[in-house]
Amino acid sequence: MTQSTAYTLAVDEIQGTASDSRNRAGGFFVVLAAQFLAVAMRTAAMAPSYDFGAAAISDLGVIAETALVFTISLIAVGLFPLLGGCYCYRIHGERWLFATFALAGVGAVGAGVFPLDTGGLHSLFALLAFVLSNGQALGTATRSPG
């Protein structure tokens, strides 16, 4: 016998239109993925000697032609999960899940603020972002129906 859990949706009123928190969270996550992939591919194409297969993605943050765009993208990668995580928290009410979104966001922002050539801080923030970004997916899967 299976146990079913009822999920209630947090609905807001924005200028008279009802909006579902799941749609907002999903929107932030889709924009996050799309912008990061688009920027990574675009900056890799702009960099004169960047080798997508052999170089680290963080190298794009230290190449003069791509550093600013890539850094801005990483900061956005940090902010979008934080915003999406706020809406996930409104849906599920799990503090630990929100903490994974927040810490992954801090990691991405830190990796952008401290480029690869600044040393150990970049590696620490990048590790935090990579590990907890996967934790977001796993944590969300434990709370999502179906």
Side-chain angles (χ1 to χ4, degrees), residues 57 107 116 127 146:
I57 196 165
L116 185 60
L127 178 65

Side-chain angles (χ1 to χ4, degrees), residues 108-127:
V109 169
V113 170
F114 299 103
L116 185 60
D117 60 356
T118 60
L121 279 178
H122 175 82
S123 298
L124 179 67
F125 281 116
L127 178 65

Side-chain angles (χ1 to χ4, degrees), residues 73-141:
S73 176
L74 277 183
I75 292 170
V77 165
L79 296 178
F80 283 125
L82 183 60
L83 295 169
C86 288
Y87 288 109
C88 281
Y89 178 74
R90 294 178 72 188
I91 297 165
H92 301 295
E94 300 284 350
R95 289 183 184 162
W96 66 268
L97 184 56
F98 178 72
T100 62
F101 284 100
L103 291 173
V106 166
V109 169
V113 170
F114 299 103
L116 185 60
D117 60 356
T118 60
L121 279 178
H122 175 82
S123 298
L124 179 67
F125 281 116
L127 178 65
L128 186 66
F130 281 124
V131 169
L132 289 175
S133 292
N134 290 304
Q136 293 170 5
L138 295 173
T140 303

Side-chain angles (χ1 to χ4, degrees), residues 28-46 50 52 57 60 69-70 72-74 76-77 80 130:
F28 281 116
F29 301 142
V30 167
V31 170
L32 158 72
Q35 81 81 23
F36 186 69
L37 287 174
V39 168
M41 288 187 288
R42 178 68 179 134
T43 53
M46 290 170 46
Y50 182 75
F52 224 130
I57 196 165
L60 294 170
V69 174
F70 191 74
I72 291 169
S73 176
L74 277 183
V77 165
F80 283 125
F130 281 124

